[in-house]
Amino acid sequence: MSSYTVSWRVQARVDAPSCRDAAIAALKKYRHSPHSIPSVCVLDKTGEKHDVVLSGFPYFLLTARETEVLSLLLLGYDNNSIGAELHLTERTVKDRLSKLMHKVGVHNRVQLAVAAATLDAGQPAQRDMSRYRAALDALGPKRKHIAALVREGLTNRAIAQVLGTTEGTIKGYLKSIYDALGVSTRLELANWMLSLGPLTRLGETMSPPAA
């Protein structure tokens, strides 16, 4: 273990086995997220400066219980099912999720799942993407665009504003999308879309349908 001085808006003196571990320990101590502080300066015992860039989902900010809740959320569990699995009340699950969203800097459970899936450094499982892409293409331009906006964590109201329509219309489209893709919730749809990989690979999916 070595002693390091970690600097961003404040300074923290920590003992850690490496510069990166020191940066993580300092941020964890002050409950800062790499979303707001993507890099820090670390001064080692010799006086040498190291710029440490932190990327990926901030799992180090989460408690063990919060990590368990997040894992079940990513599997599509609702609050009641998460509570039953972890022997927690539904109110406690809501509180855990609220704290998770605050730490990550998002506003709803879909945005939380999207952040975890897109920022996690882990490699996605290998699968036959042709079937997924064919199902996506069968949706048509407008439904594909709505599905992509759900993937981004937008609410029905926000999607309606983007497309210049009503929330009721978006709800109708979403029901059609759920039936077509074999999913039953907004979170399942977001996870289904995330399984296709980075948005840059979806091409026209993110483009508004032609008028």
Side-chain angles (χ1 to χ4, degrees), residues 6 12 168:
V6 184

mmCIF file of all heavy atoms in Angstrom, residues 6 12 168:
data_model
loop_
_atom_site.group_PDB
_atom_site.id
_atom_site.type_symbol
_atom_site.label_atom_id
_atom_site.label_comp_id
_atom_site.label_asym_id
_atom_site.label_seq_id
_atom_site.Cartn_x
_atom_site.Cartn_y
_atom_site.Cartn_z
ATOM 1 N N VAL A 6 -5.141 12.702 -3.841
ATOM 2 C CA VAL A 6 -6.052 12.755 -4.974
ATOM 3 C C VAL A 6 -6.712 14.128 -5.017
ATOM 4 O O VAL A 6 -7.267 14.582 -4.014
ATOM 5 C CB VAL A 6 -7.127 11.654 -4.878
ATOM 6 C CG1 VAL A 6 -8.014 11.664 -6.121
ATOM 7 C CG2 VAL A 6 -6.468 10.287 -4.701
ATOM 8 N N ALA A 12 -7.844 14.707 -1.235
ATOM 9 C CA ALA A 12 -8.018 13.618 -0.283
ATOM 10 C C ALA A 12 -6.735 12.813 -0.215
ATOM 11 O O ALA A 12 -6.127 12.513 -1.244
ATOM 12 C CB ALA A 12 -9.183 12.736 -0.698
ATOM 13 N N GLY A 168 -51.043 9.690 -25.429
ATOM 14 C CA GLY A 168 -51.925 8.570 -25.730
ATOM 15 C C GLY A 168 -51.521 7.847 -27.003
ATOM 16 O O GLY A 168 -51.563 6.611 -27.070
#
